[in-house]
Amino acid sequence: MKALYIKNAFAISPQATTSDRLERLEVLNGDFIHAQPINYKELIPPMSLRRMSTSVKIGLGCSLNVLKDSDCSMPDAIISSTGMGCLEDTEKFLNNILEQHEELLTPTSFIQSTHNTISAQIALHLKCKAYNNTFSHASISFESALIDSQLFVEENSNSNVLVGGVDEIGSELIPLTKELEQDIQIPFSEGGAFFLLTDNTPENLPCIKDVITYNSLSEIQLKKCTEKFLELNGLNPSSIDLLILGSNGDNFDVYYSQMKHLFPENLMALNYKNYFGEHFSASALATFLGYLILKNQKMPGRSLPKPIKNILIYNQFKGKDHGFILMSI
Amino acid sequence: MSTLQEELKYKIIDQLNLEDLSVEDIDNNDALFGDGLGLDSIDALELIVMLDKDYGIKITDPKKGKEIFSSINVLAEFIEQNRQK
C-alpha cells in the first residue's frame, strides 16, 4: 500500500485547539468533557451554522482549517468517520417521535441525524462533487476511513484526500453508556481531527505508512498480528520509537499490557485517552498527536532522548475492534 | 394581536435556531423568506408543523404557504382567522 503523507491537519478536542503544535496536554478529569469550540462564526455563515450539531461543526471547522493553510482548496475525496454519528439530532428526533406520538415531526433534526451529514456538509460547503464516503464502524471507524483513503490513492495517483473522524457526546445515550460501562476510568468526551493526505509529495512529511483492523483478536493473536504488521512494513519491534495506546482503565487494558511486552522495555508509551477522553473517534486524535510529534520532534511535557521516526498507534474497545496505525517520517 | 406577533417571533427564533437574532431584530413587516430573514424551504416545513401543532391549522396548499409566511403581521392575521386552538 502507498504511504499517505500528511500535508496538514487540524483537531478540535477537549485540549486547546491548534493546527501545528500542542505546548501542553492536560489530563482530563470528570465524567464527560466537551470539546473546546473554535470561533465557528469566522468560518461558517450563520444561517448554515444554526442547524449544525456539535459533530458537524467540529468536522466542518477542522476541514476548513486544514484546507485554509494548504495549497489545496478542493480535495479529490472527502472521507469521514464517526462511531455514533450526529447523536444530538438523533436524540432530538427520537424524543420528538415519542413525545408527539409519531405525528407532526419536524424535518431538521431528522435530516441532520444521519451519519453521513458530516461528510455531506463539508462537500456542500466546498461545493465539492468528488468522492464522498462515511465510515461508521464503532472504534475502528477512523481506521476504516484511512484504509479507504489508501484504496482511493491506489486508484487515483497524485490525489489530495480530506479524511477525518469525529464524535459528539449528545445528552442521553453517552451518559447511559457511562452508567453501563462503569469500569472505564477516563472521561467520555467528544472531538475530531481531519487530515489532508496525499500519496505524492517532494517534502519530507509525516505519513501514515499503514493501517490494519481486526474485529476480534485474542491476546495470543495480538502478538502475532503486531509482529506481522511491522514485518510487512519492513520494521521490527525495536524500530518503533513511540507507542500511542488507547488504555482507558477497564479490564481490557490487558491488551495494551500485552502489546507493551512485545517491545523493548524502555520504549516510550503514551496513553492518549488520558488527554482526549473516550469516544469512537479518539484514534483520529491519537493520529493528530502522532502527526505533531513526528513533525515537530517534540512531545508535550517530555524531552525526547532520540528522534522519533516510527510511531505505532494501537486501540481496541472492550476487547473488540482492534486498530493499528503505523506512522513514520 | 401584538402578543401573538411577539409569541410568533419567539417561536421562530427558538424553533429555527436563529441564535443571533432577538425579538427586537424582527420587524412585523419584514419578509421572512428571501431577502428579509433569509429563511429557506426547510424552515417553511418547520413553520407548517408549528402551525398544525400549536394552532391546529393544517396547510394543504403549498402555494398558500408562500402568502401566509410573507411577514409576521400576515402570519399573525392568518392565525387569528383560522386557529382551532
Side-chain angles (χ1 to χ4, degrees):
Chain A
M1 281 287 185
K2 285 181 181 175
L4 299 165
Y5 295 93
I6 304 172
K7 281 183 155 181
N8 207 1
F10 197 90
I12 296 173
S13 75
Q15 301 293 331
T17 294
T18 174
S19 58
D20 63 359
R21 63 179 187 275
L22 280 171
E23 293 297 349
R24 58 187 185 151
L25 286 169
E26 304 282 351
V27 173
L28 303 181
N29 288 302
D31 287 337
F32 308 101
I33 311 286
H34 289 272
Q36 291 190 33
I38 57 167
N39 186 0
Y40 295 111
K41 287 178 185 173
E42 282 179 356
L43 301 165
I44 308 165
M47 289 306 272
S48 304
L49 195 58
R50 70 192 167 106
R51 289 202 186 107
M52 292 179 183
S53 65
T54 304
S55 57
V56 177
K57 284 181 196 168
I58 291 173
L60 187 53
C62 285
S63 301
L64 295 177
N65 272 299
V66 163
L67 297 173
K68 188 176 76 179
D69 298 327
S70 77
D71 59 354
C72 169
S73 57
M74 191 64 76
D76 300 301
I78 298 170
I79 304 171
S80 68
S81 63
T82 172
M84 302 298 284
C86 299
L87 263 185
E88 290 170 14
D89 280 304
T90 303
E91 288 171 348
K92 197 172 168 187
F93 182 66
L94 291 175
N95 280 328
N96 279 344
I97 290 177
L98 287 173
E99 285 161 15
Q100 322 244 133
H101 307 291
E102 300 183 23
E103 287 183 347
L104 298 173
L105 299 168
T106 56
T108 307
S109 52
F110 171 64
I111 296 166
Q112 299 277 94
S113 67
T114 55
H115 285 56
N116 61 357
T117 302
I118 302 155
S119 262
Q121 286 286 356
I122 297 166
L124 282 170
H125 191 93
L126 298 175
K127 296 185 171 57
C128 175
K129 294 174 185 167
Y131 180 79
N132 192 298
N133 211 346
T134 299
F135 288 84
S136 190
H137 302 325
S139 65
I140 49 168
S141 299
F142 178 66
E143 286 83 345
S144 305
L146 287 178
I147 291 169
D148 196 39
S149 306
Q150 284 182 316
L151 294 169
F152 185 86
V153 299
E154 284 289 332
E155 291 187 347
N156 304 275
S157 292
N158 304 324
S159 294
N160 288 303
V161 179
L162 180 65
V163 63
V166 54
D167 267 292
E168 65 190 12
I169 290 180
S171 58
E172 293 184 42
L173 187 64
I174 299 298
L176 283 173
T177 307
K178 177 80 180 168
E179 287 288 314
L180 294 170
E181 306 290 352
Q182 293 210 346
D183 52 341
I184 293 177
Q185 302 296 311
I186 53 157
F188 280 64
S189 73
E190 63 186 8
F194 272 71
F195 305 83
L196 186 63
L197 306 177
T198 183
D199 56 315
N200 188 12
T201 173
E203 296 172 77
N204 184 29
L205 298 176
C207 73
I208 292 160
K209 201 166 182 181
D210 207 354
V211 185
I212 197 162
T213 62
Y214 296 91
N215 290 119
S216 89
L217 275 183
S218 68
E219 289 165 42
I220 297 159
Q221 286 170 320
L222 174 73
K223 181 179 187 292
K224 284 182 185 164
C225 292
T226 308
E227 284 168 349
K228 194 178 163 193
F229 181 58
L230 294 177
E231 197 183 310
L232 277 172
N233 287 285
L235 300 172
N236 58 55
S238 58
S239 328
I240 297 296
D241 304 300
L242 173 66
L243 275 179
I244 300 184
L245 303 172
S247 313
N248 65 9
D250 69 8
N251 293 334
F252 297 95
D253 272 4
V254 67
Y255 279 96
Y256 301 110
S257 311
Q258 290 293 329
M259 172 66 92
K260 280 186 192 169
H261 286 145
L262 301 177
F263 292 88
E265 215 174 302
N266 59 350
L267 177 66
M268 279 193 298
L270 199 63
N271 292 329
Y272 69 89
K273 289 181 182 172
N274 289 339
Y275 309 108
F276 296 116
E278 180 67 273
H279 56 87
F280 280 154
S281 292
S283 59
L285 289 158
T287 307
F288 179 71
L289 186 58
Y291 161 72
L292 292 183
I293 293 169
L294 288 171
K295 184 184 165 195
N296 300 320
Q297 289 297 310
K298 277 183 189 169
M299 252 169 79
R302 282 197 209 185
S303 56
L304 296 179
K306 59 173 186 167
I308 303 264
K309 289 182 182 169
N310 296 303
I311 296 176
L312 180 63
I313 300 170
Y314 167 61
N315 182 49
Q316 52 79 25
F317 187 72
K318 298 192 77 63
K320 293 195 185 318
D321 297 329
H322 304 255
F324 298 76
I325 302 171
L326 180 63
M327 299 182 78
S328 297
I329 193 163
Chain B
M1 180 76 106
S2 64
T3 317
L4 176 58
Q5 285 156 331
E6 288 250 310
E7 182 182 303
L8 286 172
K9 288 180 194 177
Y10 277 115
K11 283 184 177 179
I12 286 172
I13 289 170
D14 180 50
Q15 292 189 17
L16 307 184
N17 295 321
L18 302 170
E19 296 163 351
D20 292 334
L21 287 182
S22 64
V23 169
E24 294 75 35
D25 294 328
I26 307 173
D27 189 272
N28 288 347
N29 293 308
D30 275 350
L32 297 181
F33 292 80
D35 290 339
L37 223 51
L39 304 184
D40 58 24
S41 56
I42 297 172
D43 296 316
L45 282 169
E46 294 277 356
L47 292 177
I48 287 169
V49 173
M50 185 261 284
L51 282 183
D52 197 347
K53 200 165 73 179
D54 297 350
Y55 305 102
I57 301 170
K58 286 192 193 302
I59 309 283
T60 46
D61 181 4
K63 283 179 192 166
K64 214 174 172 185
K66 210 172 176 183
E67 242 173 71
I68 298 160
F69 298 132
S70 60
S71 71
I72 291 287
N73 268 344
V74 175
L75 180 58
E77 198 179 325
F78 177 79
I79 291 170
E80 281 297 336
Q81 286 166 5
N82 296 280
R83 67 189 303 168
Q84 305 297 313
K85 52 181 175 181

